[in-house]
Structure formats: structure tokens, C-alpha cells
Amino acid sequence: MRPTEDTYRHKGLRKKLVQGIQAKGITDERVLDAILEVPRHFFLDSAFDEAAYEDKAFPIGEGQTISQPYTVAYQSQLLELKPFEKVLEIGTGSAYQAVVLAEMGAQVYTIERQKKLFESNKSFPFLRKYHSIKFFYGDGYEGLPTYAPFEKIIITAAAPEIPQKLIQQLKPGGMMVIPLGSGEIQQMMRLTKLESGALKEEVFDHFSFVPMVGGKKG
Ligand code: SAH
């Protein structure tokens, strides 16, 4: 069962979580405010109420995880979001990252390749108030050509290489934040599509994501 109550205790735990993330170097106030706002325990079974506010990744079924809050904050900060920007997310998972981006004012288009996870979000009442998030079941490698171009793209699974179709769906001047690498550890990269079409590459810290896998899983 998913919890539905957000108590003072939860809010207190969240405040501590935000202080921890800040201490690890996240400075963007809008990111910190969003993490403070979103009841992360709603995204986990009620048995894991306390664990929800530890700065850790957590299993969400189907061999997948809800990303560590610090990682969510890190990627969100790198996106340098402006209000109402169109953001494509690859790997909806628990939808926590999507909600954090929506709280920051983004128009979120998020794709999940696993039907069970996609369906579970459809029956998650808390998500209904987020009209600015659109959920898709599909292969993130294909992106969403119908809705392109996007100002920002965030990949929340380990990509063995830069997905070229997604670069095509990026607006000139737009940015992609992507954990790149095929091993256990990936390098967080930020790719900016210059007006010329060339890519500017910036390299950040190391992280460990579940792999980005091609094709859909029914
Ligand atoms: N953003 C998520 C993190 C989920 S983990 C959250 O906040 O909880 C990564 C997710 O990416 C998994 O759910 C996995 O099924 C999904 N995924 C992996 N490869 C994918 C692909 N090609 N297209 C769409 N989703 C993919």
C-alpha cells in the first residue's frame, strides 16, 4: 500500500534530507525547494516510510530503483531549468524525478519502457494533480518525435552511448543531462546543442544507474 498522509514528522525528515543534499553541494534553491515539497514516501510502499528520507536509491520492483535524492537533485540542477520549458525524461520509474521537475515549473514528457511501472503510475492518485506531466509507455531511445523539439532532455538510466535520435529532438541551445557508460559506474555529462548543431560536452561526477535498455517490456 502507498501512504497518503504527509505528517509533520515526514516534513521534518524531508527538511533534514534537504540539508544533507545541500551539504553535498547542491545550491539551486528551486531544486532544494522542490525536494522539500515532494513527499518522497508517497512513491514507496508504506513499509519504507522512514527509508524514503534516507539519501539512498531504493528498489521499486521490476528490478528498478527510485534514484537517490542527491542524484535527482544533481541532475535537476544541471538542467538549469527555466519555467515552462519542455523537458523529455527517459526512465519514468517511480515518477519521483518527473514530479520534482514539474514542481520546478517544467512541462514534463516522460517515457517508461516497462509496462508494469507505467501502469502503476496510472493508478497513483497523487500524480493526477500534475497536469504538466505527460506519461508515455515506449522505448526512450526513440524519444517522442511528435512532441519534439525539447529544451531539455534528462536520461535517468545508464546510457552506453549518446542516443542520436534524442539529440535530433533537442532544440538548438538545448541541453541533455545523461549518465554515460556501459559499466557499473557512469560519468554524468551535460551536452549542449549549439546553434551550429555541434555538441558542447561537459563532464561531471560519477554515478551508478540501472542500464538504459532498448525496446519495450510488456
Ligand atoms: N527517474 C526514475 C528513475 C528510475 S530507474 C525515478 O525517479 O524513479 C530507470 C528507469 O528507466 C527504469 O524504470 C527503467 O525501466 C527505465 N528505462 C530503462 N531503459 C529505458 C528505455 N530505453 N526507455 C524508457 N525507459 C527506460
Side-chain angles (χ1 to χ4, degrees), residues 64-65 89 91-94 97 112-113 117 139-140 156 212-213:
Q64 304 304 324
T65 55
E89 181 196 25
T92 315
S94 69
Q97 171 78 72
E112 174 55 55
R113 70 177 286 274
L117 294 175
D139 179 3
T156 67
M212 183 168 172
V213 181

